Each structure stands twice: as C-alpha cells, then as structure tokens.
Amino acid sequence: MKKLFSILSVVMLTAVPCKAQVTYDVIPLPRSVELNPKGEVYTLNRGAIVTYASGNDKMASNAQLLAEFLNTDAGFQVVPQADVKPTKKQPVAITLSLGLQNPNREAYRLTVDKKGITIQGATEEGVFRGIETLRKAIGTKAGDSVELPYVTITDEPRFPYRGVLFDCARHYFPVEFIKQFLDVMALHGCNNFHWHFTEDQGWRFEVKSMPELTKKGSIRKQTVIGRNTGIYDGQEYGGYYTQQECREIVEYAAKRFINVIPEIDLPGHMLGALHVYPELGCTGGPYDVWCQWGVSADVLCAGNPKTLEFLKHVLDEVADVFPSKYIHIGGDESPRDRWKKCPKCQAKMKELGLTHEAELQTYINKELEAYMHAKGRDLIGWDETLEGGLSENAIVMSWRGSKGGIAAAQQHHRVIMSPNTHCYIDYYQLKNQWGQPMSIGGYLPVSKVYSLEPTAELSEEEAKYIMGPQVNLWCEYVAYPQHAMYMLLPRLDAISEVQWLPADKKDFEAFKSRLPRMMELYDKLGYTYCHGVE
Ligand code: ACM
Ligand code: ZN
C-alpha cells in the first residue's frame, strides 16, 4: 500500500504541470514597474503568436530570439509571425512594435493587460531589451500556459556604455563559448563586448597581410604552472580567431545589440608580435611568445618608423572586420626602460622636442588617432595613456582605480570606468579561497561590485563624460569556459544593476533577493556560477 502511494504521488507530481512563477523582480531591475492593483492576470498559452511589422529584419530577429529564449529557458513554444491581426480565432499574444517616444534608443515599455503582451521600443534595440526582461519574468517553469500579472514597465538604462572585457589572449576560448558569453551579456542588458585578443602570451587575431602573426605569434612553447613558479607544463599552447570567425561573432553580437570592441594592446603586451617581427623591438630580439604572466620590459620601439607602419596595417584589417565606432589600443603596463636606452627612441624624442618617454607613447597614440579618425573611428586607451598627455578625442578606460577616469572627465574626455577596486572579476569572489578555482588573487565580492558609483567625486557636468562601467575578466588563471562563467556569475548581475539602474534605485538587499531566480535560469541553461554571495 505504501509503495502504491509513492508510485501514485510520483505519477501525480509528474502529471501536474508546474505553474510559472512570473515576477518582474528581475536583474537588472527595470526602472519602473507598475502592477495592476486588482491582481488580474493575462494567460499566455503554449503556441501563442508573436507578431511584428514585416519588412524589418531586426524585428524579425527579435521575434525569433524571443521564441528561442522561451524555448530554452522554459520549454515553452511561441510562434513568430509577421503582420498578424488579432481575430477571435487567432488572438495575438505578444506584439513587438516601434514608435515609443523616447530619445534613449534603448528605452522600451512592456505592458500586460487583457489584450496581451506588448513590447514597444524607441528602436529595435529597446524592443530587444524588453524581450530580455520578459523572458526573465517568465523564468524556467512553464506548463501549457503562463499567467502574467497585468503590468506597465517603463524602462531605459542609466549608462549608454555597459561593457564586459574578456581576455581571450592569455587563454584561447572557442567561438561557441564566445557566443554563450554574448548570450549572458545580453541577458544582463550589457551592450559592449571588449575583446582582448593580442598579448605577450599569444597573438590571436588573424591579419591576412601578415599571416605569420597568427601562424607563429599565437603559439607559446609552454605555460607556467601556478603564479610564475618557474615550473612549466611542457605543453605547446595556441589558438586564434580567423577574420571569418570574428565577423561571425560581430554578427551574432549585433543580433543581441552588442557592439564588439577589439583591442590591439600597444606598445606593450606585444611579445606575440615581437616574436614574429623582432626588428620592431628596441633591442632587436630574439623574443619568445611569453610562457609566464606579468609585465614584459620588451615593448614596440617608438623610434622605428616600421612600428607605426606595422600598427597601421593591423588597424586597417581590424577596422575592416569590426564595424565598432570604438577601437581599443591598450596602452597599459608598457615600461619605458627600453625606450630610455634605445638610440632610435631617443632620436625620435629629440626630433619631436619631447622631454619624457611617456610623451613618446602619446606621439604613437596621436598618429594612430589621426589615422583611425579618417576611418570614422574613435580610440580607447587604458589610463596610462593620460601620462604623456591625451590625444584630442581619446577615450580613457580607468583601471588603476577611478582616479585616472576622474582626471580624464575633469579634462572633458570621455571615460569608461573599470576600476580594479570594483570591476576586476579575475579576483576571488569569496573570502574563503579554499575550494574555489585558483585566481590571480585579491578579493572582489558581489557586494563590492554592486557598491560602485561610477560618477563619484564628479560634478554634474563632469559626470556627463562617464560613458559607463565595465567589468574585466582577465584570463591568466582562467583556461576553460566553465571557469570563465564561474568568475562572471553572479558578479555580472551586480555590475548590470550599476550599469542599468539610477543610483537611487540601487538596493543590495533587494538585489540579493532577486538573485535565486537568476540562478534557476543559470542552472537551466547549464551555466556554472558561484553559489556564495558575499
Ligand atoms: C590592465 O589590467 N593591465 C589594464
Ligand atoms: Zn626603441
């Protein structure tokens, strides 16, 4: 009898479909959520139609992505179909439309009422942000129908730039994983993928006019074990992205309204290239693709005219593959010791009347800025680029704390805030490091990420120069997709609210209460994440 009882309960449990727990308490939290006080709900049925006006590829793609999301998240099918007019027999459940009057192109309004669900955007991009909100509201559990409380959500992001850096140079990550990385970014409303793919430890961007760069420069003989222990693994390591793959990633990102910013880190972090072209270094080499971590003394020679020629060839192809308005030219951790001793560099300083080697870096940056400006591009550099004076249109990415960003904003330069105090997600996220995968060190819990105020210490006028915040995932110690995802989640949730919400709407305790549902989604989608939240 007892056995029959348990069999029956199993049958009953599996036969009763679980009801979706719809809640608009998602991450990032929308700016305004007005629930209908009467508690009425709209029932969305399996097989419902999602419609949009034909003749707009972006809206067709939006509808298709919504259908994919609901299917992968909850196994719930909806059917995209253009230009469907509602009839009694065929009611339209979800309508995607344009025409919202709002100067912010990412603004959207999501309404649920007796007529169904409508997402109206200022542009297709706004509609997409609303789609991400809707899927998170529906969550992972849907049976044959989902009951959505009537609501009006009016939403738009605080910052126009919401970035995530991924270092695919210290370690190579497959294209399929980069797509998943972009999916996770889109889920959190992020819109700029900063792709760091050239380094001392490997050059991973195909340059067709210089095939040796990837053929030889992408390969290091071995990799140091642990934190520069002097013991090496004896395994050759390589991998690079063809231009075809880069284009595929750009296209995949664009469907999710994410811009891809490539970074050619210069004049330091260049051993991958110097291995192939030793004549571009001050000493003439030979140089190895580096097998350890840290900052190399060997950098590009600023006095050799071939250096600028080389960089312009690289940037020609970068600009050809990546449509991004912004191109990153690095500039961090580039020691100037070699330049001090190099006759070519010293002659160049004399010729230009420069008094400090930092100004040589500015000279390179200015040359490249003029070159790229003619192609309609703006350059971003790490905050070291401030040291020799900024070029006219330079954008500063502040990483050594916020002070570089503050100084740049005060000089009326555009700034992206990614201070290592709050945004370096290669640090440990739990106090107890045992049981966590090894990381570079440090301690950056979710709460610290959440506490970032990107415009702190700036006047209202200066704050306008802050384009937005970005988290950086450096990968010296991160070699596999699951580890990368673990470092990202849930700190990406925290930065997403810093990026999206006005400062006075942020609330860490309320944020924490919204996390478990996001984690249900990560479980469903097979994403690894850190379960502890400190
Ligand atoms: C950096 O972390 N070196 C930008
Ligand atoms: Zn030199």
Side-chain angles (χ1 to χ4, degrees), residues 60-265:
S61 162
N62 274 342
Q64 193 58 44
L65 282 172
L66 173 58
E68 277 176 33
F69 295 155
L70 297 188
N71 197 19
T72 52
D73 298 355
F76 191 82
Q77 277 87 36
V78 293
V79 183
Q81 211 173 315
D83 299 329
V84 178
K85 298 275 173 283
T87 61
K88 268 232 156 69
K89 233 171 118 204
Q90 194 185 37
V92 166
I94 306 177
T95 305
L96 308 180
S97 68
L98 297 174
L100 183 71
Q101 294 306 304
N102 191 313
N104 187 335
R105 66 172 202 273
E106 297 187 88
Y108 68 91
R109 186 191 298 130
L110 192 164
T111 47
V112 179
D113 58 24
K114 66 175 186 302
K115 294 193 292 266
I117 303 165
T118 303
I119 302 176
Q120 187 184 33
T123 63
E124 297 86 351
E125 195 170 351
V127 173
F128 181 76
R129 305 291 172 224
I131 284 172
E132 288 286 4
T133 297
L134 177 63
R135 77 180 278 202
K136 285 178 279 193
I138 291 174
T140 58
K141 297 185 190 77
D144 286 331
S145 64
V146 182
E147 289 180 351
L148 292 108
Y150 287 3
V151 75
T152 302
I153 293 178
T154 357
D155 199 13
E156 64 183 279
R158 175 183 178 192
F159 291 104
Y161 183 102
R162 304 181 301 281
V164 183
L165 173 147
F166 190 25
D167 169 11
C168 297
R170 269 51 174 270
H171 285 100
Y172 167 88
F173 290 84
V175 170
E176 278 316 301
F177 180 64
I178 292 176
K179 290 182 181 170
Q180 197 174 70
F181 196 98
L182 291 163
D183 288 341
V184 176
M185 283 181 61
L187 182 67
H188 291 85
C190 305
N191 66 354
N192 276 283
F193 175 60
H194 174 170
W195 199 7
H196 182 89
F197 57 14
T198 65
E199 258 303 341
D200 290 321
Q201 293 83 4
W203 181 286
R204 313 209 183 281
F205 169 65
E206 179 189 31
V207 180
K208 286 188 192 276
S209 61
M210 293 178 274
E212 302 284 292
L213 267 177
T214 39
K215 194 161 170 232
K216 290 188 180 157
S218 69
I219 297 170
R220 58 177 179 259
K221 288 184 195 136
Q222 53 187 351
T223 304
V224 72
I225 293 173
R227 300 193 186 109
N228 285 354
T229 53
I231 304 166
Y232 292 81
D233 66 1
Q235 305 279 320
E236 193 176 272
Y237 187 93
Y240 67 89
Y241 304 98
T242 64
Q243 291 195 0
Q244 184 52 39
E245 288 171 328
C246 294
R247 288 181 201 280
E248 193 182 314
I249 284 166
V250 166
E251 190 183 331
Y252 190 89
K255 286 203 168 130
R256 287 145 186 83
F257 298 90
I258 294 172
N259 175 51
V260 181
I261 301 177
E263 178 184 357
I264 302 295
D265 201 350

